[in-house]
Amino acid sequence: MHDDDPWAFLKTHTPARIAQGRTGRSLPTSALLSFQLDHARARDAVHSTLDTALLLNQLNEVHPSPVPINSEAVDRQLYLKRPDLGRKLSEASHTTLQQLAYHSRFDLCIVVADGLSALAINRYALPVVTGLVEQATTLNWSVAPLCLVEQGRVAIGDEIAHSLKADLVVVLIGERPGLSSPDSMGAYLTYRPRPGLTDESRNCVSNIRPNGLSHAFAIQKITYLLTEMKRRQLSGVLLKDDMPTYTLPHTSSPVVTVQSPETPD
């Protein structure tokens, strides 16, 4: 016999897997099937691939001549087994960036990487990139060529931005899928990026998706942090997020502003 869970009302407040009910000592069949479906979606997200051609065309409409980039991880299996290779530019990509050889610095570099959920990038990267480029234009900031990275992790953005001589970098990347969020995108921000930086040098705005942090507010939050980084000439744990909390919309998950060990990097 199926017993109703007295805590079922909590399900109206969170997408977390709580108050699933029970049949005897087990979960109801519907709850078990739901778990298996969400688990399959999370696994599929990890193995999803960028729609590279479409994204490059779309990014070109936002800011001319986006640059396709690859990490040293030559395929998905190697990427998952060797996280370190996802943090490094391939030799060909390094050469490509060297050939661009800009003499002046850029204010901002925007990097888009598949991370652990290319699904998230395919769905949500474009509106956030568009908004950030518009904000940069309003601030009279120069924007480096947009970079689209396959098999990339967070730290690869430091090497890219350093090669392009950018003062600030934003890495938009697919986050590790959860059972209720296979398509979550994160934004990782660094002041004066360069190879060798570690997690404490970065700030993060996470869970960017319709059921998490809206595109509009993510753009607002990222722009605020970038402006503070440029003004105060620092980032990471030294930069506190003092953006007024009353501007925060209702979301299903909190905003995280310091990178943790559970991120794609």
Side-chain angles (χ1 to χ4, degrees), residues 183-210:
D183 59 348
S184 179
M185 183 174 73
Y188 294 81
L189 295 68
T190 311
Y191 176 74
R192 289 291 169 89
R194 59 190 182 277
L197 291 180
T198 50
D199 293 350
E200 76 276 3
S201 299
R202 307 182 184 104
N203 295 82
C204 172
V205 178
S206 68
N207 199 30
I208 303 171
R209 61 192 183 98

Side-chain angles (χ1 to χ4, degrees), residues 208-235:
I208 303 171
R209 61 192 183 98
N211 291 327
L213 199 67
S214 71
H215 299 156
F217 189 78
I219 293 165
Q220 181 184 357
K221 171 68 73 173
I222 293 168
T223 302
Y224 168 82
L225 289 171
L226 290 173
T227 303
E228 288 297 291
M229 287 178 185
K230 194 172 182 65
R231 182 178 70 86
R232 300 173 61 183
Q233 300 184 7
L234 50 81
S235 63

Side-chain angles (χ1 to χ4, degrees), residues 21 49 57 65 72 74 77 84 96 132 140 181-182 187 191 220 222 225 256-257:
T49 58
N57 286 333
S65 303
E72 287 189 353
V74 296
Q77 290 303 315
D84 58 310
T96 296
L132 291 177
N140 293 318
S181 56
Y191 176 74
Q220 181 184 357
I222 293 168
L225 289 171
V256 181
T257 54

Side-chain angles (χ1 to χ4, degrees), residues 3-17:
D3 295 324
D4 290 333
D5 192 317
W7 300 103
F9 72 93
L10 292 174
K11 296 171 66 175
T12 63
H13 301 287
T14 175
R17 198 172 300 279

Side-chain angles (χ1 to χ4, degrees), residues 83-235:
D84 58 310
L85 297 182
R87 302 183 184 113
K88 301 176 183 177
L89 286 172
S90 68
E91 184 176 345
S93 294
H94 183 71
T95 301
T96 296
L97 292 177
Q98 282 187 322
Q99 290 173 344
L100 293 177
Y102 292 96
H103 296 291
S104 59
R105 297 190 66 88
F106 291 98
D107 292 301
L108 177 64
C109 175
I110 301 175
V111 175
V112 179
D114 47 10
L116 290 171
S117 178
L119 176 66
I121 297 301
N122 291 334
R123 289 180 175 177
Y124 311 132
L126 183 63
V128 176
V129 172
T130 301
L132 291 177
V133 171
E134 290 174 350
Q135 290 294 319
T137 300
T138 300
L139 293 167
N140 293 318
W141 288 0
S142 56
V143 180
L146 304 176
C147 293
L148 180 64
V149 184
E150 292 189 78
Q151 315 302 352
R153 293 183 183 265
V154 173
I156 200 170
D158 294 334
E159 188 174 358
I160 292 171
H162 182 73
S163 298
L164 293 174
K165 300 178 182 177
D167 289 334
L168 299 162
V169 65
V170 175
V171 180
L172 298 176
I173 192 167
E175 297 182 305
R176 179 180 292 111
L179 290 176
S180 61
S181 56
D183 59 348
S184 179
M185 183 174 73
Y188 294 81
L189 295 68
T190 311
Y191 176 74
R192 289 291 169 89
R194 59 190 182 277
L197 291 180
T198 50
D199 293 350
E200 76 276 3
S201 299
R202 307 182 184 104
N203 295 82
C204 172
V205 178
S206 68
N207 199 30
I208 303 171
R209 61 192 183 98
N211 291 327
L213 199 67
S214 71
H215 299 156
F217 189 78
I219 293 165
Q220 181 184 357
K221 171 68 73 173
I222 293 168
T223 302
Y224 168 82
L225 289 171
L226 290 173
T227 303
E228 288 297 291
M229 287 178 185
K230 194 172 182 65
R231 182 178 70 86
R232 300 173 61 183
Q233 300 184 7
L234 50 81
S235 63

